[in-house]
Amino acid sequence: THYSLLITHYSLLITHYSLLITHYSLLTTQSPLFMRFWRFWLNAVILSSQHNPPRFVELLMLSLAIIMLAISTFFPGKEAFLILGLSFVVGASLSILVREVMSPSSRTLITQITAVLLLIVSIYGFADLIQHL
């Protein structure tokens, strides 16, 4: 019985190692595609940050605001995330308004209306937060 357990143990080890080798070979064959995907997105981020830096910063601020507001929604006791998210929205909307005044784009009116709406909603959020604290 001792020998049969030993043989079973070794056969399980061999099966485990063969599965590891199969898994490793799948990872290495799919790795170039994975790396191309991430290199594409990294190059797109770098290009967009060089092409129009203010718009990139505004996009980054609004993305962080969405993340912070989602965290404050899922975890209601975290007012710091709500304050930080609303601050990002105020900063991004003011930056959008200033950018549109200095160098108007083809959609100036729509962009300004959206920025003003974001500013109103975030100020209302701050007022509601101050009232409940």
Side-chain angles (χ1 to χ4, degrees), residues 45 53-67 88 92:
V45 167
R55 190 169 287 170
F56 176 74
V57 171
E58 294 158 3
L59 174 70
L60 186 64
M61 288 175 71
L62 289 174
S63 300
L64 288 173
I66 290 170
I67 292 169
F88 278 140

Side-chain angles (χ1 to χ4, degrees), residues 14-28:
I14 290 170
T15 307
H16 178 70
Y17 286 131
S18 66
L19 286 174
L20 282 176
I21 290 170
T22 306
H23 181 68
Y24 178 74
S25 66
L26 285 175
L27 282 178
T28 55

